[in-house]
Amino acid sequence: MKRSILSLGESFDLGKVKIETVGNLQEGGTIEYCSWVAVGEKDGKIVEQVLSGEENFDDAMYRLIFVADLDGDGIPDIVADLTNHYNVSKKMLFLSSLADEGEWHKKVGDFTAIGC
């Protein structure tokens, strides 16, 4: 697996779908907005789904933890840390088999921990 943290404008190819990091970078390197978008062709149409998005980031960035076809449907599922703050850990599980029509994944679990 290549780097698990993606900078703005980078993507991570999962095969049938890729995760793109889109957002606004301000002067001085401050991120004003960032989101992860799952993009790919599904049933003959291009499907774009925002998995998560945040307005501000405080010394943290989204990170892929694990990618595998957990539910056996041929589309990779995702475990990610989608936090925007250095003192928070926000782990999420996205499964493809439970996605609504016109989407790639559905968030089916999350765990948030806050530091001291």
Side-chain angles (χ1 to χ4, degrees):
M1 180 194 294
K2 65 180 187 179
R3 294 183 320 142
S4 64
I5 297 175
L6 304 177
S7 298
L8 290 177
E10 290 186 325
S11 64
F12 193 90
D13 190 351
L14 305 178
K16 295 182 179 186
V17 61
K18 68 179 176 179
I19 305 299
E20 295 181 347
T21 306
V22 296
N24 299 322
L25 187 63
Q26 299 299 309
E27 254 183 68
T30 303
I31 297 173
E32 179 183 69
Y33 177 79
C34 179
S35 66
W36 269 8
V37 181
V39 180
E41 186 175 328
K42 187 176 185 180
D43 301 325
K45 299 177 189 173
I46 298 296
V47 173
E48 294 184 15
Q49 177 191 1
V50 175
L51 297 176
S52 187
E54 300 284 347
E55 291 293 325
N56 299 301
F57 285 79
D58 188 356
D59 202 22
M61 198 59 188
Y62 293 169
R63 184 172 60 93
L64 283 173
I65 296 171
F66 185 77
V67 176
D69 185 11
L70 300 173
D71 51 20
D73 66 352
I75 299 171
D77 303 302
I78 301 167
V79 177
D81 189 346
L82 299 177
T83 186
N84 67 332
H85 192 275
Y86 68 89
N87 199 35
V88 177
S89 176
K90 196 172 4 176
K91 309 283 194 291
M92 296 186 187
L93 169 63
F94 295 88
L95 293 179
S96 54
S97 63
L98 299 177
D100 294 328
E101 187 173 331
E103 293 185 340
W104 282 103
H105 296 90
K106 183 168 205 82
K107 182 177 79 165
V108 296
D110 61 50
F111 175 78
T112 301
I114 299 173
C116 45

